[in-house]
Amino acid sequence: MKVISGPASKDLGERVSALTGFGNVPVSFKVFPDGESYVRLEGSVQDQNVAIVQTTSPPQQDGRLIQLALIADAAKRGGASKVSAIVPYLAYARQDKMFLAGEGISIETVARMLKASGIDELITVNIHSESALQKFPFPARTLSAIPLLAEYFVEKGFKGAFALAPDKGAMHIAKQAQEVLAGNAGHLDKQRDRYTGQTKQTAEGLNVSGQSVIIFDDIISTGGTIVGAARILREQGAKHVFCACVHGLLIGDAEKRILDTGVEEIVSTDSVPSTSSKVSLAPLLSEELKAQE
Ligand code: R5P
């Protein structure tokens, strides 16, 4: 197998190549003056299985998706036997159904586009809803980085901390963290207005007074969910509050707003590289790729 490190995940791809021992095929990448992307593989992929590592995070999710498709096309034209797309953050995965009349199903459109570019398989990480994977016309699966995030806190000395999901839908995430932290787990409740996007959080039956609490979520986008959760935890008298997510999009001043609530640290993965990316996905992705070779 060969690893192709896409421009959006160059460091992560190179780490995967180093950990697996699979050769890295460099990509020459540039953006034309009119904004269009150009890619060229700088090594042979003839008769090889290839894994393209390319996240599709904001603010360039559209461009990054196109770059992924261009690399896949180049790999197939270069004679690759099988093209796997390793897409840590999969853009458009949250629009996996028609929530309102007149909408499309964005992830299905993306899936068809990736198929047309020559991709044979997709591996992503903590996709928001696993039902989105069913929209792909080729094998697609998701891995979980939550145990790696929880291990970060164990190493920091917080074994036994309370794993909190900011809404009921994220409880499976909190349970995965709980298995590593060996403490308690629970969730808040969150209601979202489909038209305004406004959310309201409540904490029925939850009491974390005096406890160290880590809020685990798949994505932090605007930070609104974590800010609301952290305020509730502070009101209840939590001793320490941290937050961890797989995909730290951290749009605008999200990081500042979260830290202003008294959250002591924001920890995310290199799915979306930022100053909070303190946990690498490289070991998780490497194990997966080695297992399938
Ligand atoms: C939604 O259910 C997700 O799991 C996240 O909680 C959400 O995407 C976070 O968004 P924001 O940071 O804008 O509140």
Side-chain angles (χ1 to χ4, degrees), residues 94 128 167 190 217-225:
R94 283 181 285 180
H128 181 63
D167 55 51
K190 182 170 90 174
D217 209 350
D218 54 346
I219 303 171
I220 299 177
S221 182
T222 64
T225 302

Side-chain angles (χ1 to χ4, degrees), residues 245 248 250 255 265-269 272-279:
C245 71
L250 298 168
E255 190 172 0
E265 187 179 1
I266 305 169
V267 179
S268 64
T269 76
V272 184
S274 77
T275 51
S276 69
S277 306
K278 294 160 191 168
V279 171

Side-chain angles (χ1 to χ4, degrees), residues 71-92:
I71 295 170
D73 180 58
K76 266 287 159 77
R77 288 175 198 275
S81 335
K82 179 181 172 191
V83 176
S84 302
I86 316 301
V87 188
Y89 177 74
L90 181 61
Y92 295 101

Side-chain angles (χ1 to χ4, degrees), residues 155-175:
E155 280 166 25
K156 207 177 153 78
F158 284 90
K159 194 164 177 82
F162 190 101
L164 183 88
D167 55 51
K168 201 172 173 186
M171 193 56 201
H172 66 288
I173 287 179
K175 283 192 174 147

